[in-house]
Amino acid sequence: MSSIAVKTEQIHKTYTSGPQQVDVLKGVDMEVLSGEVAVIMGPSGVGKSTLLHIIGMLDRSDSGQLWITGRDVSGLDETAMARMRNATIGFVFQFHHLLPEFTALENVLIPAMLRDMHDADEHYARELLGRVGLSHRMTHKPSELSGGERQRVAVARALINKPQIVLADEPTGNLDKHSGEELYRLLLELNRALGQTLLIVTHNEHMADNAHRLITMDDGRIAGQKVINRVG
Ligand code: ADP
Ligand code: MG
């Protein structure tokens, strides 16, 4: 039996902008098992990013419950939530968010520095950069890397603290088709090698075909959820 990495129950979120209220999430129920690659698909504006931010504890729902690695995190205060987030979650965004004045290796190490650096971290950062195919680019700065390479550094950075869960929101949105396909192959390879749970918002069919779980969203709700491949 696999354990449940992420579970939501009746997550609601409303944004207020001026006099307008927008109900973005209208009762989201979903779950992802440990080790799974789950692909979240759906048209623009249905709440995919909002849901990912709530799961990643970057934002809070207005109501409903969220379990991360079996723990109910809905009631945690800011400090406890930040600690849980840093220990459990890695993020890959559409834009790489690398710091321009630092090398690839230093950028990968930033989340480790925010935690508290161990001697092992630099060794692991080098190993991760090797895994994403950038052994020869460790001392390059972001401006000296291609778009695909930058995003691979961002993937290594997401993994440095050994998160159990990696969240990726359209991580190839700024890449050309070839670099995008390469990044998807890499994410699948890393999931197989390291076993972290991966939730990814994408329109990519290769990723969807090779995922374990397909979740579709429509208008603030889960429209469909099915297991298409078993882990392992
Ligand atoms: P998706 O990722 O599926 O495209 P989002 O979660 O980004 O959808 O957004 C869903 C809806 O919520 C959109 O209508 C968007 O305009 C609105 N929205 C997102 N963030 C905010 C915000 N901070 N304030 C107000 N409205 C927002
Ligand atoms: Mg989005």
Side-chain angles (χ1 to χ4, degrees), residues 167-210:
L167 305 177
D169 194 356
E170 304 199 41
T172 63
N174 284 313
L175 300 183
D176 62 71
K177 196 166 173 355
H178 175 74
S179 308
E181 292 294 338
E182 248 181 28
L183 193 82
Y184 283 123
R185 267 196 296 276
L186 174 68
L187 287 169
L188 290 166
E189 209 175 281
L190 288 168
N191 163 266
R192 273 193 294 272
L194 305 174
Q196 64 315 59
T197 308
L198 175 62
L199 265 74
I200 179 165
V201 174
T202 177
H203 304 283
N204 184 275
E205 282 172 18
H206 173 77
M207 199 68 198
D209 289 343
N210 289 282

Side-chain angles (χ1 to χ4, degrees), residues 8-13 25-28 54 61 63-65:
T8 71
E9 215 169 81
Q10 285 302 300
I11 294 277
H12 285 78
K13 181 77 181 177
L25 299 179
K26 305 177 180 176
V28 171
I54 289 171
S61 62
S63 63
Q65 269 176 299

Side-chain angles (χ1 to χ4, degrees), residues 90-144:
F91 294 95
V92 183
F93 299 99
Q94 185 169 345
F95 185 68
H96 57 78
H97 296 295
L98 299 178
L99 298 179
E101 63 272 32
F102 292 109
T103 65
L105 182 63
E106 288 163 347
N107 267 286
V108 173
L109 280 168
I110 286 168
M113 290 173 184
L114 295 175
R115 185 207 332 117
D116 58 275
M117 280 277 275
H118 303 295
D119 290 343
D121 287 327
E122 186 172 332
H123 178 79
Y124 191 52
R126 289 176 185 277
E127 181 190 324
L128 285 172
L129 280 168
R131 279 190 186 273
V132 301
L134 293 176
S135 298
H136 57 310
R137 294 282 186 271
M138 303 223 196
T139 58
H140 285 56
K141 301 214 168 134
S143 63
E144 301 162 338

Side-chain angles (χ1 to χ4, degrees), residues 15-17 22-25 42-51 53 59 169-170 201 217:
Y15 284 117
T16 311
S17 52
V22 190
D23 295 328
V24 179
L25 299 179
S44 180
V46 296
K48 303 181 299 294
S49 295
T50 303
L51 179 62
H53 280 83
D59 197 0
D169 194 356
E170 304 199 41
V201 174
M217 282 187 78

